[in-house]
């Protein structure tokens, strides 16, 4: 049976669908948040999934979706750090410009499994972007969760994302923010983000931990969670090793027996802890 026009227009894993930049906001010196409107059909995104974003004539890169989950037809929100030719083109896309999206791809954070439990979100740098949907879910489902802590760290105050939202989240959640190096305007905590876990309030036997950031930060966060008695099965990580195709064909993101774009990017520490000793090339 022939495909309908709607089916042919729907975004998928293989062919980019057109999205128009509806809004663009500068978060830090090198990071921008874009809202993209679908030109045909939108899609629902689960927390933690990513899309392949194509800058026409330049190339494509994987970007985690940082907007609210499960809102088909609504703008897709992406927070992008300008670190190369493709991301430079994406960050420079003015409202009205067109980008291509493939996806959504990958698996998701197990937010539903955390119902009735405590939640701790630990993010480093731009790692807060893939975790923002988890925080938004926690706010929307606040009555179904126990204690919720958001622990966030960046290199400097100027590198912090979503500063206005962090303050607002603190009205309902336990939010702690730290920086590695402070300037004269900073009056908050100074130190690495895993140290925040020493004072965070949660039940080790009934907590789900969501972690994203640089791999060295993930390593020490896992150690800190273990010291608090959290089992590896309750620690979930989002890995961001070199993904190219997004569909498990090119092999660039292979980590032992797993392909991160196909089987991840979310894993439990129990699944990949023994593989994380393999350094990223």
């Amino acid at each position: 049976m022939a495909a309908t026009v709607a089916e042919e227009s729907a975004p998928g894993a293989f062919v980019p669908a057109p999205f128009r930049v509806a809004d663009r906001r500068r978060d830090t010196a090198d990071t921008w948040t874009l809202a993209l409107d679908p030109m045909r059909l939108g899609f629902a995104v689960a927390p933690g999934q990513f899309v392949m974003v194509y800058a026409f004539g330049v190339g494509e890169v994987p970007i985690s979706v940082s907007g609210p989950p499960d809102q088909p037809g609504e703008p897709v929100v992406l927070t992008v750090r300008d670190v190369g030719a493709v991301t430079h083109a994406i960050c420079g896309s003015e409202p009205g410009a067109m980008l291509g999206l493939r996806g959504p791809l990958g698996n998701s954070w197990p937010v539903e499994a955390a119902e009735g439990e405590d939640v701790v979100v630990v993010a480093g740098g731009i790692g807060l972007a893939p975790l923002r949907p988890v925080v938004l879910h926690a706010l929307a489902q606040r009555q179904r969760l126990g204690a919720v802590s958001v622990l966030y760290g960046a290199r400097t105050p100027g590198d912090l994302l979503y500063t206005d939202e962090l303050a607002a989240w603190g009205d309902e959640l336990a939010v702690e923010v730290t920086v590695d190096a402070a300037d004269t305007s900073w009056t908050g905590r100074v130190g690495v983000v895993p140290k925040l876990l020493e004072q965070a309030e949660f039940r080790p036997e009934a907590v789900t931990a969501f972690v994203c950031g640089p791999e060295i930060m993930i390593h020490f966060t896992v150690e800190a969670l273990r010291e608090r008695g959290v089992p590896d099965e309750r620690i979930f990580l989002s890995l961001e090793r070199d993904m190219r195709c997004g569909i498990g064909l090119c092999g660039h993101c292979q980590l032992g027996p797993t392909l991160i774009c196909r089987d991840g990017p979310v894993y439990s520490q129990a699944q990949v802890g023994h593989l994380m000793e393999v350094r990223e090339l």
Side-chain angles (χ1 to χ4, degrees), residues 36-212:
L36 308 180
D37 278 334
M39 298 304 295
R40 299 190 183 108
L41 295 181
F43 47 70
V45 183
Q49 286 191 296
F50 68 96
V51 291
M52 297 297 297
V53 184
Y54 185 69
F56 295 103
V58 185
E60 67 175 357
V61 290
I63 303 292
S64 295
V65 176
S66 56
D70 301 322
Q71 293 190 341
E74 293 298 313
V76 176
V77 179
L78 307 173
T79 298
V80 186
R81 187 178 177 197
D82 184 350
V83 293
V86 182
T87 51
H88 182 73
I90 294 169
C91 291
S93 298
E94 301 278 356
M98 299 296 297
L99 296 170
L101 265 62
R102 289 197 287 122
L105 303 168
N107 63 359
S108 59
W109 299 107
V111 291
E112 299 298 338
E115 185 171 328
E117 298 186 349
D118 295 342
V119 170
V120 58
V121 173
V122 190
I126 199 168
L128 184 58
L131 284 167
R132 182 172 176 261
V134 175
V135 178
L136 297 177
H137 175 85
L139 289 167
Q141 303 294 324
R142 188 67 194 90
Q143 300 305 314
R144 299 185 178 184
L145 301 172
V148 180
S149 296
V150 179
L151 312 179
Y152 177 45
R155 288 176 296 177
T156 71
D159 293 313
L160 293 169
L161 296 177
Y162 315 133
T163 51
D164 290 342
E165 289 183 68
L166 287 167
W169 294 346
D171 292 338
E172 297 187 53
L173 313 176
V175 177
E176 295 289 347
V177 180
T178 187
V179 297
D180 296 344
D183 56 26
T184 55
S185 66
W186 180 250
T187 59
R189 295 177 179 268
V190 178
V192 294
V193 67
K195 296 291 288 183
L196 297 177
L197 282 161
E198 295 177 358
Q199 303 299 322
E201 294 187 9
F202 58 81
R203 297 165 293 167
E205 74 285 357
V207 67
T208 303
F210 303 95
V211 185
C212 187

Side-chain angles (χ1 to χ4, degrees), residues 248-262:
L249 293 179
C250 72
H252 279 87
C253 64
Q254 183 174 4
L255 180 63
T258 186
L259 293 171
I260 291 174
C261 73
R262 181 193 67 192

